[in-house]
Amino acid sequence: MYVVIEGVDTCGKSTQLELLKKHFPQAVFTKEPGGSVIGESLRDLILFAPQRQGFVLDEYAEFMLFLADRAQHYKEVLKPHKNRLVISDRSLISSIAYAKHIDMDKAIMLNKLVLRGILPQLVVILKLEKSALQARLESKKNDSIESRGIEYMLEIQGRMCEATKMLNLPYIEINASLDREVICQEIVGEIKRVESSLNNC
């Protein structure tokens, strides 16, 4: 079973991944970008190199780098563990949502191409209201994507929901401002529910 945790930066994805490890110790935990051998280098190039080296990454180049990471992630993580529970921090949903300059149908098609038939069986979207997102962004040093501003991040959050629906993937939306343990229990319950339904098919 392939589960992805989605949401804009600061919504608590990493926190939930750590909590879920206690509930699913047998699962494979991964992230995008960064879950493959070359993924960490691509992640650094996308998120931090522009600030360090003073250049602006072309929007199409950024999208293609995400696709390259996803293709390698398929080869090294998703395909070898297709019969196990895989829980990922981000997925094609983020890539499609952030690619605002590319027609969503085309972005979906290209992401499906590199994933070669393996799509999430459950999408968990952690959502933040504007005030909560603003407070969280102001409390940390922002990477090149977070630095694009609050309105940009809210638009991306909306596009994540839109992309998930266009892909016709099973999903739940959770208020990311809730207590972390409450959020975790809701995710655990949903994973077990979907897992049970898949096993009974």
Side-chain angles (χ1 to χ4, degrees):
M1 179 179 173
Y2 178 27
V3 179
V4 300
I5 313 296
E6 286 287 359
V8 295
D9 294 285
T10 77
C11 73
K13 296 185 307 299
S14 299
T15 297
Q16 291 306 315
L17 266 291
E18 288 303 312
L19 292 173
L20 289 170
K21 288 177 182 179
K22 301 173 186 176
H23 294 273
F24 302 103
Q26 80 286 4
V28 175
F29 285 85
T30 186
K31 63 183 178 181
E32 292 189 32
S36 66
V37 172
I38 66 170
E40 282 299 331
S41 296
L42 290 172
R43 181 184 182 86
D44 181 77
L45 180 59
I46 295 167
L47 298 179
F48 304 109
Q51 291 180 327
R52 285 199 309 266
Q53 301 177 28
F55 70 91
V56 177
L57 188 63
D58 178 80
E59 293 174 332
Y60 281 83
E62 179 181 283
F63 180 71
M64 294 303 173
L65 287 171
F66 277 124
L67 286 179
D69 173 79
R70 187 152 297 111
Q72 193 68 18
H73 189 256
Y74 162 87
K75 179 180 177 63
E76 294 183 21
V77 181
L78 297 182
K79 185 179 179 181
H81 300 112
K82 62 181 180 180
N83 294 321
R84 294 181 61 184
L85 174 60
V86 176
I87 304 178
S88 179
D89 181 342
R90 293 202 185 281
S91 68
L92 79 162
I93 304 298
S94 284
S95 182
I96 295 165
Y98 279 99
K100 296 184 357 177
H101 53 289
I102 297 176
D103 177 79
M104 192 170 282
D105 286 325
K106 291 181 180 178
I108 287 173
M109 180 271 292
L110 290 168
N111 274 276
K112 282 185 172 182
L113 177 68
V114 300
L115 283 171
R116 287 155 275 188
I118 296 183
L119 293 175
Q121 291 159 296
L122 174 62
V123 180
V124 177
I125 303 176
L126 301 178
K127 295 185 70 176
L128 284 168
E129 296 295 328
K130 182 175 182 178
S131 58
L133 178 57
Q134 183 77 55
R136 294 190 185 192
L137 287 174
E138 290 176 351
S139 68
K140 65 185 290 292
K141 182 178 179 180
N142 296 328
D143 61 32
S144 62
I145 291 178
E146 294 166 344
S147 298
R148 295 172 187 175
I150 183 72
E151 297 301 331
Y152 174 86
M153 301 299 286
L154 288 170
E155 182 182 359
I156 296 304
Q157 181 172 259
R159 286 175 58 85
M160 286 179 179
C161 298
E162 182 183 356
T164 303
K165 292 172 183 175
M166 286 185 67
L167 283 159
N168 198 28
L169 298 174
Y171 73 97
I172 58 169
E173 296 180 7
I174 301 176
N175 181 354
S177 295
L178 294 173
D179 179 81
R180 63 183 63 185
E181 293 292 344
V182 172
I183 294 173
C184 182
Q185 287 302 320
E186 189 167 348
I187 297 173
V188 169
E190 192 66 14
I191 290 175
K192 290 182 176 179
R193 185 191 68 78
V194 174
E195 199 169 34
S196 177
S197 67
L198 291 172
N199 291 335
N200 290 331
C201 290

